[in-house]
Amino acid sequence: MGVHRNYINIKLYADWLVHYFNLNGLHISPLKLQKILYYSQAWSLVFLDHSLFEDVPEAWANGPVYRAIWDEYKIKAQRHEKLVFENNYNLEAEYKKRTDSLNLDVNQSELLDSVLKKYSSYPSGYLVYLTHSELPWNEARKGCAPFDLCTIPMSLTTMKDYYKSLIEKSSPIVEAQI
């Protein structure tokens, strides 16, 4: 991969994503959060030529998982709970504060906006299906049964090459949309 400019703290980014979804009235579960993190990193590898965060996803049975985020939200994940904030919470102010704390450069900001436009409306199950149909997750799980515990790190090189190949096969219109 290219030289990284600055890694984003994955926990801060995950928290920002939860705020983004809540502010926009969208559903976000721990499972969906994991997939949005994954696609954010995958497309960063392609378009920014560096990893978005230091963390590398593991090839779990339900798709790519970032261990630090799993540890943070595992109770809610086990209960299949939606990630929401209290009604008396000033969501707009907190979202702005979290946006500022990410310290995104223009390219990162534009890329992440594109990722959210593309993937935020998909249900968790579809995002699991999508990752299961793609090479990076399948390559990492090679030799594992469908529901086997697998903590094998996914290859960032495979992620970059795979998603870059999707761009090369698509039309310029699709490329502009990620």
Side-chain angles (χ1 to χ4, degrees):
M1 300 305 103
V3 176
H4 77 86
R5 294 192 175 94
N6 61 326
Y7 288 126
I8 295 174
N9 178 299
I10 195 169
K11 288 184 179 182
L12 291 178
Y13 181 58
D15 186 58
W16 177 84
L17 284 170
V18 172
H19 278 78
Y20 171 89
F21 275 78
N22 278 238
L23 185 62
N24 289 287
L26 300 169
H27 180 272
I28 183 76
S29 65
L31 182 62
K32 185 172 183 172
L33 176 62
Q34 291 284 352
K35 304 314 163 250
I36 299 293
L37 291 168
Y38 171 74
Y39 284 113
S40 296
Q41 186 166 30
W43 290 114
S44 177
L45 291 165
V46 173
F47 287 109
L48 303 178
D49 198 33
H50 63 85
S51 186
L52 195 57
F53 9 82
E54 286 185 273
D55 304 67
V56 176
E58 297 175 358
W60 287 25
N62 280 326
V65 169
Y66 293 88
R67 171 85 53 180
I69 302 308
W70 167 255
D71 290 343
E72 187 88 12
Y73 293 105
K74 67 183 166 192
I75 299 301
K76 289 185 179 285
Q78 292 165 342
R79 294 180 184 156
H80 303 285
E81 292 180 18
K82 180 180 174 184
L83 303 176
V84 293
F85 296 100
E86 300 298 321
N87 289 339
N88 61 356
Y89 191 72
N90 187 340
L91 197 53
E92 286 185 30
E94 289 299 318
Y95 175 73
K96 181 176 178 357
K97 188 187 313 181
R98 281 161 175 76
T99 300
D100 293 343
S101 75
L102 287 175
N103 198 28
L104 301 173
D105 65 36
V106 173
N107 293 329
Q108 289 171 324
S109 184
E110 288 176 0
L111 174 74
L112 298 177
D113 284 346
S114 295
V115 168
L116 289 171
K117 283 178 186 162
K118 179 165 181 76
Y119 296 100
S120 65
S121 64
Y122 293 139
S124 301
Y126 178 75
L127 293 172
V128 169
Y129 164 79
L130 198 57
T131 60
H132 283 205
S133 68
E134 298 171 335
L135 176 67
W137 180 83
N138 284 292
E139 177 186 90
R141 284 197 61 89
K142 189 173 184 170
C144 296
F147 296 105
D148 279 355
L149 176 62
C150 176
T151 58
I152 296 171
M154 295 174 65
S155 164
L156 296 180
T157 300
T158 299
M159 288 168 60
K160 180 179 181 177
D161 292 347
Y162 175 77
Y163 293 102
K164 189 174 184 178
S165 76
L166 295 180
I167 296 299
E168 291 166 353
K169 293 176 190 174
S170 66
S171 73
I173 294 170
V174 174
E175 181 178 336
Q177 298 175 350
I178 293 200

